[in-house]
Amino acid sequence: MKYSYYPGCTLRTKAKKLDDYARASAKALGFELEEIENWQCCGGVYPLSSDEIGSKLSSVRALNEAKEKNQELVTLCSACYHVVKRVNDDMRNVEDIRTRANNYMKLDEPYLGETNVLHFLEVLRDRIGFDELKKKVTNPLTGRKIGAYYGCLLLRPGKILGFDNPENPTIIEDFIRAIGSEPVVYPYRNECCGGYISLKAKDLAKTMCDNIMDSASGFGAEMLITACPLCQYNLTKNSKATIPVYYFTELLAEALGVKEEVDA
Amino acid sequence: MEHSKKNQAEMVKEISGSNPLRCMKCGKCSASCPAFEKMDIKPHQFVSYVINENIEELAKCESLWYCLSCFACVERCPRDVKPGKLVDAARQIAVRQKGGAYLVPDEIPEIVDEDLPQQLLVSAFRKFRR
Ligand code: SF4
Ligand code: SF4
């Protein structure tokens, strides 16, 4: 199976490993991520104002390219997923944005939100299946107590993202089970890490990340996993960092026995 | 004056797509907000300011720079008022004004460290300036 793939700016630089482990894991699982040509940064945050069109166009271009190839569009970074999926919802359902974006784009055929956007975790859950994943695990990570850290970008607004139940998600816990470990459910797993606020209000982000750390370690987690480079940064650099935070793809690659070849 | 007050309130409602009149003042948004302590105008109060067309106050309040757009309030509001979108719309009004940027490129070298992800910078630039 072949998917269009939108890596985004941070996966090219600071979070290169998040991307490398994902590509190696995809290969091991038998699907291909075909990178969108000349993709542009999604902007990191979804432009909430209905009168902002220009800042939504990089997403529309990627979505349209996937449409032209008749592929689903996969993202890995939580922020890219959030932005691209919300823009796609606008293109499907908000007539004014759809019309104005298409006026800018001047495509042969207008883009009307046809592409399906998937997070890498959704590929594992909905296309491969966690039961299948479990069968492909050669190196189960037995005995690890792992807390899923969702944060906000993957979950909210639930009605538009449709990723999982925004108040009681299970997808990452199911992933943790599939790779042979034990999920630790703790209350702060869907609280925000502070996001971009850590640039100008470090103290606020720190309080929030400390709460998350306390909550996770208090419930017995020995490590956290995330899909978001910004969460990873805030939780490790901007908190008491009582437990380590890994990208979920690192553990996936390890369980599939391909981590060493990536690290080499 | 009255006229422009009304216009600004209309603009906030329009670009946010929110109808503040639906608010039943239950306070769930403020109770959900992780930045509550830092905010001078709390999320549920924000809604009332928009109803009262007092956008001038909103455009200079501190809350604009602490809201995370985490959407906890939007998800949990039982009346679909979307308070976080109102905050963002007021922030747009503030940063679109001349000299309204809350972040200038000159500040960056001082505040970055070597691990800081690009995603953080692009997001902050989107949120804090025009
Ligand atoms: S949660 Fe919604 S209804 Fe309740 S106070 Fe906030 S905006 Fe109003
Ligand atoms: S979106 Fe802003 S106002 Fe709403 S809960 Fe998050 S930080 Fe608070």
Side-chain angles (χ1 to χ4, degrees), chain A residues 86-141:
Chain A
R86 288 186 82 172
V87 171
N88 203 35
D89 179 75
D90 289 337
M91 296 304 284
R92 265 183 206 172
N93 300 318
V94 184
E95 199 188 329
D96 179 54
I97 295 179
R98 175 170 59 220
T99 310
R100 285 197 289 160
N102 275 305
N103 286 346
Y104 274 108
M105 300 276 298
K106 297 200 168 51
L107 304 164
D108 296 336
E109 189 190 307
Y111 180 75
L112 309 174
E114 294 92 337
T115 299
N116 196 30
V117 181
L118 290 173
H119 190 271
F120 192 94
L121 282 161
E122 292 177 306
V123 176
L124 299 181
R125 179 188 62 191
D126 304 332
R127 297 292 179 272
I128 311 263
F130 285 134
D131 288 340
E132 266 315 295
L133 170 60
K134 197 168 185 166
K135 286 186 205 151
K136 298 217 160 124
V137 165
T138 52
N139 174 37
L141 310 183

Side-chain angles (χ1 to χ4, degrees), chain A residues 23-261:
Chain A
R23 288 179 197 250
S25 302
K27 217 167 129 204
L29 289 168
F31 65 93
E32 199 181 321
L33 297 173
E34 190 170 84
E35 192 166 324
I36 295 277
E37 263 175 64
N38 302 321
W39 55 264
Q40 296 158 314
C41 172
C42 73
V45 287
Y46 167 74
L48 284 164
S49 311
S50 62
D51 62 350
E52 285 195 64
I53 302 295
S55 45
K56 295 182 173 105
L57 295 180
S58 62
S59 298
V60 181
R61 282 191 195 100
L63 287 159
N64 187 61
E65 195 177 315
K67 172 188 157 185
E68 284 174 353
K69 290 193 198 163
N70 207 5
Q71 290 172 350
E72 294 185 290
L73 180 61
V74 173
T75 64
L76 183 50
C77 166
S78 305
C80 298
Y81 174 73
H82 182 97
V83 174
V84 175
K85 191 140 188 196
R86 288 186 82 172
V87 171
N88 203 35
D89 179 75
D90 289 337
M91 296 304 284
R92 265 183 206 172
N93 300 318
V94 184
E95 199 188 329
D96 179 54
I97 295 179
R98 175 170 59 220
T99 310
R100 285 197 289 160
N102 275 305
N103 286 346
Y104 274 108
M105 300 276 298
K106 297 200 168 51
L107 304 164
D108 296 336
E109 189 190 307
Y111 180 75
L112 309 174
E114 294 92 337
T115 299
N116 196 30
V117 181
L118 290 173
H119 190 271
F120 192 94
L121 282 161
E122 292 177 306
V123 176
L124 299 181
R125 179 188 62 191
D126 304 332
R127 297 292 179 272
I128 311 263
F130 285 134
D131 288 340
E132 266 315 295
L133 170 60
K134 197 168 185 166
K135 286 186 205 151
K136 298 217 160 124
V137 165
T138 52
N139 174 37
L141 310 183
T142 328
R144 291 191 208 174
K145 292 190 172 147
I146 307 175
Y149 178 65
Y150 289 89
C152 53
L153 291 170
L154 287 174
L155 296 172
R156 298 190 286 267
K159 268 192 223 117
I160 291 174
L161 296 178
F163 177 78
D164 204 342
N165 179 332
E167 301 295 0
N168 191 18
T170 54
I171 179 169
I172 306 185
E173 282 78 8
D174 292 339
F175 165 77
I176 293 169
R177 275 185 212 100
I179 57 170
S181 303
E182 192 187 319
V184 175
V185 176
Y186 61 100
Y188 273 68
R189 67 208 165 107
N190 62 345
E191 285 290 325
C192 176
C193 71
Y196 56 83
I197 224 74
S198 62
L199 196 66
K200 299 269 283 190
K202 268 206 173 348
D203 57 329
L204 174 58
K206 176 143 195 330
T207 310
M208 294 167 63
C209 288
D210 281 347
N211 288 339
I212 295 164
M213 280 285 160
D214 284 343
S215 171
S217 49
F219 275 75
E222 293 161 359
M223 64 184 74
L224 293 178
I225 55 172
T226 177
C228 180
L230 184 47
C231 298
Q232 213 269 352
Y233 170 81
N234 278 334
L235 287 167
T236 46
K237 291 283 283 194
N238 234 338
S239 82
K240 50 172 79 165
T242 24
I243 52 176
V245 185
Y246 299 105
Y247 291 128
F248 78 97
T249 55
E250 178 168 353
L251 273 61
L252 175 61
E254 192 182 349
L256 294 171
V258 296
K259 179 169 185 293
E260 275 165 22
E261 78 191 46

Side-chain angles (χ1 to χ4, degrees), chain B:
Chain B
M1 186 60 212
E2 271 311 300
H3 183 66
S4 86
K5 253 178 94 167
K6 201 167 191 72
N7 279 349
Q8 279 201 325
E10 285 311 316
M11 174 155 173
V12 165
K13 283 184 250 177
E14 194 184 314
I15 65 178
S16 68
S18 158
N19 177 3
L21 286 173
R22 291 180 53 84
C23 175
M24 61 181 189
K25 307 209 187 315
C26 67
K28 212 170 176 181
C29 48
S30 289
S32 299
C33 178
F36 178 82
E37 303 268 351
K38 290 275 188 185
M39 289 189 169
D40 48 358
I41 299 178
K42 314 294 185 193
H44 71 288
Q45 296 172 320
F46 223 93
V47 179
S48 305
Y49 274 70
V50 179
I51 293 173
N52 296 328
E53 297 177 350
N54 194 350
I55 309 299
E56 218 175 321
E57 286 300 314
L58 293 183
K60 57 185 190 210
C61 77
E62 285 294 309
S63 304
L64 302 184
W65 317 119
Y66 290 111
C67 169
L68 310 145
S69 292
C70 74
F71 269 54
C73 57
V74 177
E75 195 66 53
R76 292 177 194 155
C77 170
R79 304 278 296 159
D80 197 26
V81 175
K82 311 181 187 83
K85 291 192 83 172
L86 290 174
V87 179
D88 197 80
R91 177 164 48 199
Q92 284 298 325
I93 298 220
V95 299
R96 287 176 192 185
Q97 280 163 5
K98 200 166 176 292
Y102 182 63
L103 178 68
V104 294
D106 285 351
E107 290 176 77
I108 297 296
E110 280 285 302
I111 42 185
V112 297
D113 60 69
E114 82 271 19
D115 295 323
L116 188 131
Q118 282 69 11
Q119 179 194 354
L120 173 48
L121 286 181
V122 292
S123 304
F125 272 104
R126 276 264 170 97
K127 284 292 183 185
F128 293 154
R129 56 183 291 127
R130 182 65 176 163

Side-chain angles (χ1 to χ4, degrees), chain A residues 10-24:
Chain A
T10 310
L11 271 63
R12 266 311 160 74
T13 47
K14 295 286 189 241
K16 184 112 189 33
K17 281 288 169 75
L18 171 60
D19 179 62
D20 292 343
Y21 291 130
R23 288 179 197 250

